Every structure is written in C-alpha cells, then in structure tokens.
Amino acid sequence: MPSAIIVGASTGIGLALAGRLVAAGWTVTGLARSAAGLEHAQYRHVVADVRAASYRDVLAAASEPLPDLCVYCTGIGHELDFAQPTRESDVFATNLVGAVITAEVIVPRMVAARAGHFIGLSSQADRIIDRDAPSYAASKAGMSSYLEGLALACRAHGVAVTNVRFGFVDTAMAKAPGPKPFMISADRAAQIIERCIRRRPIRKTYPLRMAAVLWLVRWGTRIRIWAS
Ligand SMILES: NC(=O)c1ccc[n+]([C@@H]2O[C@H](COP(=O)([O-])OP(=O)(O)OC[C@H]3O[C@@H](n4cnc5c(N)ncnc54)[C@H](OP(=O)(O)O)[C@@H]3O)[C@@H](O)[C@H]2O)c1
C-alpha cells in the first residue's frame, strides 16, 4: 500500500488530496496546526506548526517509516499591512522556510533510498511583483526556484521533485474580495496533483489560461518599474 505525508492537510487542497489518496488505497499522515479534517482508517493526523522550533523533530517522527510521497500544501497569504509588520516574515517562514525544512527532513532520506517523490505547492504568483501582498509572491518565487533546483539535483538519485503552480483555487486562502479568473475547486486541484504523482514532472502549471493573464500583468508591472 503506498504511503504519503501531507503537510497542511487540515483544510483546502491538502485535505482534498488526503481524501482522494485514502480513497485510492494510500495510507496518509497529515500535519497541520488544527485537528484533522478527515476521519478514515488509513488516515493519521499529527498536530504541528511548521514555524515551531520542534517542527523538524515532529516531522522526522511522523515520517517514520519513510513515505513514498511528501506533499507540502502549507501556505498563508496576507495583504501588506504596515500596522502588522511581522506578518510579512510569517509568510516567508510558513511558505518558504517551512517547505525547505520539510525537504531537509525528507529528501536526503529519499535520496538514500533512491526512491520517492516530493511535491510542493507554489503558485503562479511566483512570477509577479505584487504591491498588495509582496510577501506572498516573493515567498512563492523563492519556493519555485528552490523546488526546481532541487528537482534537477535529485533526478540522478531516482527521486522526483515537482513544483505545482496553481492559479486561483476555491479555498479559505482565496476568500479575499476581487476577481478570481479561472478558479478551480480544491478537488480539481487534488486531481491535478494526483496526475503529477503518476507523471512526476518537475513543473506543473494549471490552468495555463491563468498563466497567460499573469504574463500580461507581469509586463504591466515591468513597464511601471522601468518608467519610474
Ligand atoms: N487557494 C489558492 O487560490 C491557491 C492558489 C495557488 C497556490 N495555492 C497554494 O496551495 C497551498 C494550499 O492552500 P489552500 O488554498 O489549500 O489554503 P488553506 O485551505 O488555507 O490550507 C492551508 C493549509 O496550511 C496549513 N497551515 C497554515 N499555516 C500552517 C503552519 N504554520 N503550520 C502547519 N500548517 C499550517 C493549514 O492548516 P492549519 O491552519 O490548521 O495549520 C491548512 O491545512 C498553499 O501553499 C497555497 O499558497 C493556493
């Protein structure tokens, strides 16, 4: 029976993926700060905060024996608020540093076993410069670059690393007001991740129509920066 660990499994895409994997016969360990969002004989939940000093040890224990798959679904995003400056570093600690610590704990053991798959949920926001939520876009830029570099390093060792870049997904994270073109459901996002588990690409961008919109946004921002 294949096994997976999902970090950020209490809600949203991580929860939808956990549900799909147990239904397909996987055993799944989920981590999050909240209690389990799923009850199933093949699901085990561990309460953990990726920003806590204990996270590395908690993850090491939770990932024993080494699972076939690790998916980092944890993420937060905040609009820039000068009255709450530390929220900016919280976003980097959760989205980027948490992902790197997770890879540090899991990937070397996969390399030693010459088997395994590490998936990180970055975002199509990784290519934009965002005045409303600069920490979110920048943390995802770092995450995408890290995951794809790691993927190239791991290939020769029989380990796959995949950078998943969604546009808008209908979860708590996408509840801020404003247009959300081409938004997909959390279950559709989980389906796309399942396809990545089978095909093991280095990068998966979905939907591509959203990437075209963001390409235009990127050029608009570049022109504004050049003109400044
Ligand atoms: N929704 C979108 O439009 C969208 C688009 C592109 C990419 N993504 C990415 O997809 C990933 C999943 O997001 P989602 O949309 O499913 O949002 P979500 O429903 O808010 O899920 C986020 C998950 O991260 C966990 N989490 C947050 N902070 C944590 C911490 N310090 N320690 C441990 N777990 C923590 C949450 O659980 P607890 O709060 O219980 O800890 C939850 O399980 C994120 O990386 C996000 O950036 C989302």
Side-chain angles (χ1 to χ4, degrees):
M1 196 183 288
S3 59
I5 190 158
I6 301 176
V7 187
S10 60
T11 59
I13 303 168
L15 176 61
L17 180 65
R20 291 191 75 91
L21 290 183
V22 293
W26 290 63
T27 54
V28 177
T29 300
L31 278 74
R33 292 168 302 179
S34 319
L38 174 70
E39 273 190 37
H40 193 284
Q42 287 149 235
Y43 181 78
R44 175 172 73 113
H45 193 77
V46 176
V47 172
D49 183 339
V50 302
R51 297 199 327 247
S54 58
Y55 174 59
R56 194 183 292 272
D57 293 338
V58 171
L59 176 64
S63 58
E64 208 54 71
L66 184 65
D68 304 293
L69 170 73
C70 176
V71 189
Y72 192 79
C73 294
T74 304
I76 57 170
H78 293 308
E79 297 244 316
L80 180 61
D81 179 355
F82 294 119
Q84 301 186 67
T86 59
R87 295 208 314 180
E88 293 293 281
S89 53
D90 289 347
V91 172
F92 283 92
T94 306
N95 297 0
L96 181 56
V97 180
V100 175
I101 292 173
T102 304
E104 283 179 347
V105 172
I106 301 289
V107 172
R109 289 155 63 206
M110 287 182 169
V111 165
R114 295 194 69 80
H117 191 179
F118 186 93
I119 298 178
L121 300 198
S122 182
S123 165
Q124 292 190 37
D126 62 358
R127 298 280 171 78
I128 60 170
I129 292 172
D130 186 355
R131 55 179 281 174
D132 297 321
S135 54
Y136 184 76
S139 68
K140 294 299 186 181
M143 188 179 181
S144 288
S145 175
Y146 181 71
L147 287 171
E148 293 183 15
L150 191 63
L152 293 172
C154 284
R155 274 172 105 177
H157 300 278
V159 175
V161 177
T162 301
N163 177 28
V164 176
R165 304 171 65 244
F166 288 125
F168 288 106
V169 184
D170 192 6
T171 68
M173 179 168 282
K175 289 294 179 259
K180 297 178 187 75
F182 315 122
M183 185 150 79
I184 60 170
S185 69
D187 195 54
R188 177 75 183 130
Q191 249 180 6
I192 302 294
I193 298 170
E194 277 190 307
R195 200 185 297 162
C196 291
I197 295 168
R198 288 192 296 274
R199 298 186 182 169
R200 295 159 69 106
I202 290 180
R203 180 189 301 164
K204 178 68 187 175
T205 300
Y206 189 92
L208 283 173
R209 287 178 298 176
M210 187 65 202
V213 171
L214 289 174
W215 187 85
L216 291 174
V217 170
R218 211 159 69 230
W219 270 101
T221 312
R222 273 183 196 166
I223 289 164
R224 242 173 284 142
I225 290 172
W226 286 336
S228 68

